[in-house]
Amino acid sequence: MSENYNRIPRGTHDILPEDEKYWSFVDAVAKKHSLTMGLEQITTPVIDFKNLFVRSVGQSDLARKEIYSVQKSGTEYENDDKDELVLRPEATAQVARAYLQHGMHTWPQPVRLFYLRQPNFRYERPQSGRFRQHFQFGVEMFGSVDPLTDAQLILLLWEIFQDLKLSEKIVFDINTIGCKKCRPDIRKQIVKYYKSREDELCDDCKDRLKKNPLRILDCKNEKCREIGADAPQIIDNVCDECQTHFRQLLEILDELSIPYNLNPLLVRGLDYYTRTVFEVREEADEKRQSSLAGGGRYDDLIEELGGQPTPACGFGFGYERIVEKLKENEITPPELDKPEILIVQLGDKAKIKCLPLVAKLNNLGYRTTTIPGKESIRAQLKLADRLNVEVALIIGQREAFDNTIIFRKMKEGVQETIDIERLERFLARYYKNKE
Ligand SMILES: [Zn+2]
Ligand SMILES: [Zn+2]
């Protein structure tokens, strides 16, 4: 019996070289703007304790059914820890844990962190078309209740979308969902309203009514949305502090001219959110079927995890959707750090000379490479075309013997033979004249 290795687990994907340029583009833009804003990078492990996530995300679908647990094979390490390990379903809880663990409350506040291309794992229903492993960029800021912090998050996201050339297509949906003081009452009112129309709700929402009633507000089901239109609005019922906080945030956003839309039905999926919640969606996606990024405030999470009361907020986005949008909009990411010079070699003597030359030119600052395993010059020049290098330096059998080298401009196809002793000066002059 033969096994089929030509397959990949459902809901996962490879990132192939032709796609990597999009991913690197997102990395570079996200990192640049985060660093410019003074944020610092953090990386957390792919595995962590299940109770950390369950404690943070509460009664959401995520905590109840989408977490991958990690099986520890072998018995040797069984007593390492009694806590169940899982694959990270989302990073906020982990970064909050790191904040506590490393005493970041003693650092100057706010502590502003970001993480780049971190894989998250969720056991999604296969038919939903979502990924079981997906990659996220995210930002978390701890220790500031100031609405300026919320605004800074939104500005950062806006700058990233601008630099990715996607900002013209997007709009921020924004809402406030109250704090631990005013939310219990809001929740009561919402439960009361939906109880009166329980029969009309979709099955998921019937379930949410018991466990997570606020989430009914942003159910995508047509009928549920219709019912939601008459539901009590959160914003009318939040406390004075929450009102003021939200109003100040909107004033700053108005000054920034960032396009936003007040969406009283927006609540976000996870239990830890308080006050500000926001999502980025495409302007064309009026039905709000899917978002490109999302975030909000989570002022109680650190306390929930055993720390001092510490206000916090953050956002995240998935690479897969962003890359899809870049392609859809035919945005070409810049090519970075590709070789500009290819050393082409033929024969045993050239083989010995070519790598030292690669090393020498790289040290001089020319991005240089060579391609092993090809016996003909033509085959190597073909790969030079594919790599889009500008210059090929050819050492054939004769050149190796004569201590010369052929300098070839790839695009023009013109070439000349030069003395290897002169190469350094020749290249310097060539690249200088180009400027
Ligand atoms: Zn409040
Ligand atoms: Zn529903």
Side-chain angles (χ1 to χ4, degrees):
M1 217 172 77
S2 76
E3 277 251 31
N4 179 12
Y5 294 107
N6 189 16
R7 63 198 189 107
I8 195 167
R10 178 182 272 169
T12 68
H13 59 95
D14 298 317
I15 303 163
L16 296 176
E18 69 211 43
D19 267 356
E20 178 53 42
K21 58 175 183 266
Y22 294 95
W23 289 68
S24 300
F25 182 40
V26 178
D27 282 345
V29 168
K31 185 167 185 171
K32 180 180 124 190
H33 289 282
S34 302
L35 291 175
T36 303
M37 214 164 252
L39 278 58
E40 297 172 283
Q41 187 166 353
I42 185 169
T43 302
T44 54
V46 166
I47 54 169
D48 216 316
F49 296 114
K50 180 174 185 177
N51 60 13
L52 169 68
F53 299 109
V54 171
R55 183 74 203 221
S56 338
V57 300
Q59 283 299 320
S60 62
D61 288 354
L62 168 58
R64 287 188 293 135
K65 49 193 186 207
E66 292 171 0
I67 295 183
Y68 271 96
S69 70
V70 174
Q71 260 184 13
K72 285 162 275 185
S73 56
T75 52
E76 205 178 326
Y77 305 109
E78 213 166 67
N79 296 322
D80 247 13
D81 58 71
K82 294 197 169 54
D83 300 299
E84 190 179 345
L85 287 177
V86 298
L87 295 178
R88 166 179 53 228
E90 64 101 41
T92 300
Q94 271 191 317
V95 180
R97 189 262 306 137
Y99 179 88
L100 285 170
Q101 191 176 348
H102 304 289
M104 294 185 199
H105 64 281
T106 64
W107 300 8
Q109 306 290 300
V111 172
R112 303 178 303 160
L113 303 168
F114 71 96
Y115 48 88
L116 216 53
R117 210 196 280 201
Q118 288 207 157
N120 290 342
F121 301 84
R122 291 192 189 181
Y123 193 74
E124 301 268 8
R125 281 170 299 166
Q127 64 269 29
S128 68
R130 296 168 75 173
F131 295 108
R132 287 179 172 178
Q133 175 182 314
H134 80 101
F135 291 87
Q136 210 181 32
F137 164 77
V139 169
E140 317 290 350
M141 298 189 182
F142 300 94
S144 167
V145 73
D146 193 332
L148 189 54
T149 324
D150 311 49
Q152 190 172 47
L153 280 179
I154 290 173
L155 174 62
L156 174 55
L157 202 41
W158 175 245
E159 285 181 338
I160 291 170
F161 274 96
Q162 275 186 318
D163 218 1
L164 293 172
K165 305 192 174 56
L166 293 172
S167 59
E168 279 171 26
K169 320 258 174 194
I170 60 157
V171 63
F172 283 82
D173 267 9
I174 185 163
N175 194 19
T176 181
I177 58 171
C179 64
K180 87 177 154 198
K181 215 171 77 192
C182 54
R183 193 126 59 121
D185 196 49
I186 293 169
R187 194 182 145 114
K188 245 183 245 161
Q189 290 187 42
I190 285 177
V191 170
K192 191 173 155 215
Y193 170 78
Y194 281 111
K195 267 254 169 351
S196 71
R197 306 188 62 171
E198 189 171 356
D199 297 344
E200 301 165 74
L201 294 172
C202 76
D203 287 347
D204 283 344
C205 284
K206 282 184 182 126
D207 199 34
R208 286 175 184 138
L209 191 51
K210 292 186 207 96
K211 293 171 177 138
N212 199 0
L214 256 57
R215 285 233 64 195
I216 304 175
L217 290 171
D218 72 354
C219 179
K220 305 282 184 255
N221 180 290
E222 202 66 49
K223 183 70 194 170
C224 295
R225 296 203 77 88
E226 221 174 88
I227 301 168
D230 297 324
Q233 298 217 335
I234 301 175
I235 182 133
D236 300 333
N237 295 292
V238 296
C239 66
D240 289 347
E241 286 96 325
C242 286
Q243 283 273 6
T244 309
H245 189 273
F246 195 50
R247 204 191 55 241
Q248 286 179 349
L249 168 60
L250 298 185
E251 277 170 19
I252 302 170
L253 293 184
D254 287 334
E255 285 293 317
L256 284 168
S257 312
I258 293 174
Y260 70 85
N261 170 60
L262 290 179
N263 177 0
L265 300 178
L266 182 69
V267 293
R268 305 278 303 148
L270 305 177
D271 272 10
Y272 53 59
Y273 284 109
T274 51
R275 290 194 169 168
T276 316
V277 287
F278 59 88
E279 281 184 1
V280 174
R281 67 176 162 85
E282 285 179 280
E283 222 175 346
D285 180 18
E286 280 176 25
K287 285 194 161 173
R288 305 187 168 87
Q289 291 300 315
S290 65
S291 61
L292 293 173
R297 200 159 256 294
Y298 49 94
D299 288 338
D300 305 325
L301 181 59
I302 293 284
E303 201 181 352
E304 276 284 311
L305 297 178
Q308 294 297 314
T310 308
C313 53
F315 72 75
F317 64 66
Y319 280 64
E320 288 82 359
R321 292 284 336 266
I322 303 285
V323 167
E324 188 188 311
K325 290 297 138 197
L326 290 173
K327 289 181 181 173
E328 242 175 68
N329 290 288
E330 292 176 0
I331 290 155
T332 324
E335 299 264 15
L336 299 169
D337 300 331
K338 290 195 108 180
E340 54 194 343
I341 298 176
L342 179 73
I343 314 281
V344 173
Q345 37 76 29
L346 186 73
D348 290 344
K349 214 165 172 198
K351 208 174 281 228
I352 293 165
K353 287 187 169 185
C354 78
L355 270 189
L357 186 55
V358 167
K360 184 182 168 189
L361 295 183
N362 274 330
N363 277 333
L364 290 170
Y366 303 108
R367 296 191 308 273
T368 311
T369 188
T370 190
I371 298 164
K374 284 270 175 279
E375 292 307 328
S376 89
I377 286 185
R378 245 187 64 188
Q380 291 175 60
L381 287 176
K382 226 168 148 179
L383 281 162
D385 269 337
R386 182 181 156 87
L387 286 174
N388 211 8
V389 299
E390 188 178 330
V391 167
L393 295 174
I394 306 165
I395 318 174
Q397 272 151 330
R398 160 131 52 97
E399 289 77 22
F401 188 77
D402 286 353
N403 276 323
T404 56
I405 196 161
I406 298 170
F407 172 92
R408 180 183 174 91
K409 286 202 260 181
M410 287 301 296
K411 219 180 254 148
E412 295 84 349
V414 296
Q415 60 185 48
E416 64 184 286
T417 301
I418 52 180
D419 207 274
I420 199 121
E421 301 290 310
R422 279 181 55 223
L423 179 64
E424 202 180 314
R425 266 177 23 233
F426 186 92
L427 287 175
R429 203 170 57 223
Y430 171 75
Y431 280 102
K432 188 153 195 266
N433 285 344
K434 262 187 58 187
E435 286 164 10

